PDB file of all heavy atoms in Angstrom:
ATOM      1  N   GLU A1173     -32.351  -6.846 -23.823  1.00 92.00           N
ATOM      2  CA  GLU A1173     -33.103  -5.933 -22.961  1.00 92.00           C
ATOM      3  C   GLU A1173     -33.529  -6.691 -21.708  1.00 92.00           C
ATOM      4  O   GLU A1173     -33.744  -7.901 -21.761  1.00 92.00           O
ATOM      5  CB  GLU A1173     -34.370  -5.402 -23.636  1.00 92.00           C
ATOM      6  CG  GLU A1173     -34.135  -4.480 -24.818  1.00 92.00           C
ATOM      7  CD  GLU A1173     -34.025  -5.246 -26.110  1.00 92.00           C
ATOM      8  OE1 GLU A1173     -34.729  -6.271 -26.247  1.00 92.00           O
ATOM      9  OE2 GLU A1173     -33.215  -4.857 -26.978  1.00 92.00           O
ATOM     10  N   LEU A1298     -27.461  -2.403  -0.645  1.00 91.00           N
ATOM     11  CA  LEU A1298     -27.443  -1.172   0.155  1.00 91.00           C
ATOM     12  C   LEU A1298     -28.010   0.066  -0.548  1.00 91.00           C
ATOM     13  O   LEU A1298     -28.758   0.828   0.053  1.00 91.00           O
ATOM     14  CB  LEU A1298     -26.016  -0.882   0.630  1.00 91.00           C
ATOM     15  CG  LEU A1298     -25.560  -1.615   1.900  1.00 91.00           C
ATOM     16  CD1 LEU A1298     -24.070  -1.412   2.103  1.00 91.00           C
ATOM     17  CD2 LEU A1298     -26.322  -1.118   3.119  1.00 91.00           C
ATOM     18  N   VAL A1421     -47.887 -37.654 -20.642  1.00 85.00           N
ATOM     19  CA  VAL A1421     -48.244 -39.011 -21.065  1.00 85.00           C
ATOM     20  C   VAL A1421     -47.841 -40.089 -20.057  1.00 85.00           C
ATOM     21  O   VAL A1421     -48.337 -41.226 -20.129  1.00 85.00           O
ATOM     22  CB  VAL A1421     -47.638 -39.366 -22.453  1.00 85.00           C
ATOM     23  CG1 VAL A1421     -48.135 -38.395 -23.499  1.00 85.00           C
ATOM     24  CG2 VAL A1421     -46.116 -39.388 -22.413  1.00 85.00           C
ATOM     25  N   GLY A1430     -50.224 -51.165 -15.969  1.00 87.00           N
ATOM     26  CA  GLY A1430     -50.945 -51.732 -14.824  1.00 87.00           C
ATOM     27  C   GLY A1430     -52.103 -52.594 -15.272  1.00 87.00           C
ATOM     28  O   GLY A1430     -52.302 -53.704 -14.752  1.00 87.00           O
TER      29      GLY A1430
END
Side-chain angles (χ1 to χ4, degrees):
Chain A
E1173 293 89 35
L1298 277 170
V1421 301

